[in-house]
Amino acid sequence: MNKLIGFTHASAELHEDIMTCQMCAPHLPLAPKPIIQFNPAARILIAGQAPGLRAHQSGRPFDDASGDRLRDWLGLSPAQFYDPQLLAILPMGFCYPGKGPSGDNPPYKECATTWRRPLLKQLSQLSLTLVIGQYALAYHVGAHKGSLTEQVRQQALDETTLILPHPSPRNNIWLKKNPWFELEILPALKQKVQLAISV
Ligand code: SF4
């Protein structure tokens, strides 16, 4: 299938420019390799932090245990999850940023302003944004004084932007400590996802 189905000339050009971007090559540990999923027709946006090493190697976002859990949370099969006409996956930085002292390095800031912002403007059918991680949270939700746990729990579930904890196995302890997430948030999330992709 032609991956550029549904693209305008401008969005196809933008996508091509991104895929050949070398802007922060000197700061990256590996050669730039943007790992995104995008089509202007996407209904749901997954706004994450930056691809990890595994995604860099495989070329697919969330191609790991975090992705398995995220797909389970959303109630989507891998085929649905990797359908760019249903889901856009646009992290705050598009290339693997390398390891830092605690986890991966932060995403390269200019990526969001140079590439991500114009891509977001092309998402004309978007009805649901799922925010994962502090950088995406600051961009899509803004400054908040509470902890991530408070923000996830207190959010209004009828909004079009929902905050999620990271689905990484490293968050297993958080999930055990906060059973309300699976009991209260996930059913509403699954419902919203189904509604968004069935429009
Ligand atoms: S992280 Fe973004 S700005 Fe940097 S090289 Fe990759 S696509 Fe370009």
Side-chain angles (χ1 to χ4, degrees), residues 56-69:
H56 175 91
Q57 288 163 340
S58 76
R60 284 219 301 187
F62 290 102
D63 190 20
D64 55 12
S66 299
D68 291 339
R69 177 175 273 158

Side-chain angles (χ1 to χ4, degrees), residues 62-196:
F62 290 102
D63 190 20
D64 55 12
S66 299
D68 291 339
R69 177 175 273 158
L70 182 58
R71 286 181 279 280
D72 184 49
W73 284 356
L74 305 183
L76 294 177
S77 67
Q80 289 173 310
F81 186 85
Y82 288 115
D83 179 349
Q85 297 194 53
L86 294 182
L87 251 86
I89 302 176
L90 300 176
M92 297 304 293
F94 292 169
C95 298
Y96 171 59
K99 288 259 172 267
S102 57
D104 286 353
N105 282 323
Y108 187 63
K109 263 195 224 156
E110 280 71 9
C111 195
T113 44
T114 309
W115 299 128
R116 191 172 184 272
R117 189 174 291 160
L119 277 184
L120 292 181
K121 285 190 183 154
Q122 303 274 337
L123 293 172
S124 56
Q125 313 289 315
L126 201 64
S127 61
L128 181 61
T129 296
L130 304 174
V131 176
I132 300 172
Q134 56 165 318
Y135 297 97
L137 191 60
Y139 186 96
H140 288 276
V141 182
H144 189 284
K145 286 194 179 130
S147 67
L148 177 72
T149 302
E150 285 163 353
Q151 290 187 71
V152 173
R153 184 150 205 187
Q154 289 165 7
Q155 64 190 324
L157 295 177
D158 57 348
E159 295 290 342
T160 55
T161 298
L162 290 183
I163 307 163
L164 301 180
H166 199 283
S168 162
R170 280 187 293 182
N171 258 348
N172 284 350
I173 293 175
W174 186 92
L175 289 166
K176 268 199 184 135
K177 275 190 189 164
N178 297 285
W180 49 266
F181 176 73
E182 293 193 348
L183 292 171
E184 297 167 23
I185 306 285
L186 287 191
L189 172 64
K190 283 192 171 76
Q191 222 173 22
K192 288 182 86 70
V193 167
Q194 283 309 313
L195 194 65

